[in-house]
């Protein structure tokens, strides 16, 4: 059952993001509130999936913390992620509006700020994913200088990251072993 829960945890966090991407790629437009709800759900379930994946992997490896320690770690990760994400987002907005940078450098300041928020939050034991997601929401809902430049570079970086992700996933596939996968799928079923 733990292996099945681990597999479900890994796969469950991709549902809303994939649906949102497919809707946008297909040219379909949702009502504003529906789209916002889908985005929030997508962003909120990823940090939980990371925590559960780490916990289940630890339990399967035999070195998991106690349930009370796991709950404390999850609560701390959420609190730190929310606090540093909101504060980091406000700081990035302030920096973007404060500094008069040459054309084209505002997107890189925003990206560097997001990386710094992620790194600092992870260093303190919080959820870097939650922090960056919340910082992005804060930035998107504030007036920001050079918003169009920031958005165009962020969109390009997103597409590049997807390309690299699928390239790396493709490098892990060995075509000659693909026929062995259905036969080996029974290894995940607990027969006891």
């Amino acid at each position: 059952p733990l292996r099945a829960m681990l597999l479900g945890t890994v796969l469950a966090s991709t549902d809303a993001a994939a649906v949102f991407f497919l809707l946008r790629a297909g040219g379909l437009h949702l009502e504003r509130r529906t789209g916002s709800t889908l985005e929030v759900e997508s962003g909120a379930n990823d940090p939980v999936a990371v925590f559960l994946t780490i916990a289940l992997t630890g339990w399967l490896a035999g070195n998991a913390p106690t349930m009370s320690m796991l709950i404390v770690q999850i609560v701390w990760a959420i609190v730190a992620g929310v606090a540093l994400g909101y504060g980091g987002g406000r700081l990035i907005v302030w920096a973007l509006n404060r500094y008069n940078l040459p054309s084209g450098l505002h997107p890189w300041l925003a990206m560097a700020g997001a990386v710094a928020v992620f790194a600092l939050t992870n260093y303190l034991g919080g959820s870097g994913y939650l922090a960056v997601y919340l910082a992005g929401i804060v930035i998107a809902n504030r007036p920001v200088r050079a918003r169009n430049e920031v958005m165009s570079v962020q969109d390009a970086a997103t597409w590049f990251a997807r390309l690299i992700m699928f390239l790396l996933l493709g490098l892990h596939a060995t075509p000659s072993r693909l026929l062995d996968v259905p036969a080996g799928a029974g290894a995940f079923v607990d027969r006891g």
Side-chain angles (χ1 to χ4, degrees), residues 57-65:
T57 303
W59 277 331
L60 286 170
N63 56 359

Side-chain angles (χ1 to χ4, degrees), residues 114-174:
V115 170
V117 167
F118 182 86
L120 179 63
T121 306
N122 275 349
Y123 180 75
L124 296 175
S127 171
Y129 297 108
L130 180 60
V132 167
Y133 182 73
L134 187 58
I137 290 173
V138 170
I139 295 167
N141 289 300
R142 301 266 178 214
V144 176
R145 182 187 302 178
R147 177 179 297 277
N148 291 336
E149 290 178 25
V150 172
M151 292 300 293
S152 65
V153 170
Q154 296 297 328
D155 286 342
T158 300
W159 277 102
F160 183 70
R162 285 183 190 144
L163 179 119
I164 295 298
M165 179 184 68
F166 285 114
L167 176 68
L168 291 176
L169 287 173
L171 289 174
H172 280 85
T174 306

Side-chain angles (χ1 to χ4, degrees), residues 16 25 41 56 60 64-65 68 74 78 86 92 103 105 117-118 125 139 144-145 158 164 171 174 177 180:
E41 192 273 336
L56 291 171
L60 286 170
S68 59
I74 289 173
I78 291 170
Y86 180 77
I92 292 170
S103 179
L105 291 183
V117 167
F118 182 86
I139 295 167
V144 176
R145 182 187 302 178
T158 300
I164 295 298
L171 289 174
T174 306
R177 296 188 63 204
D180 297 338

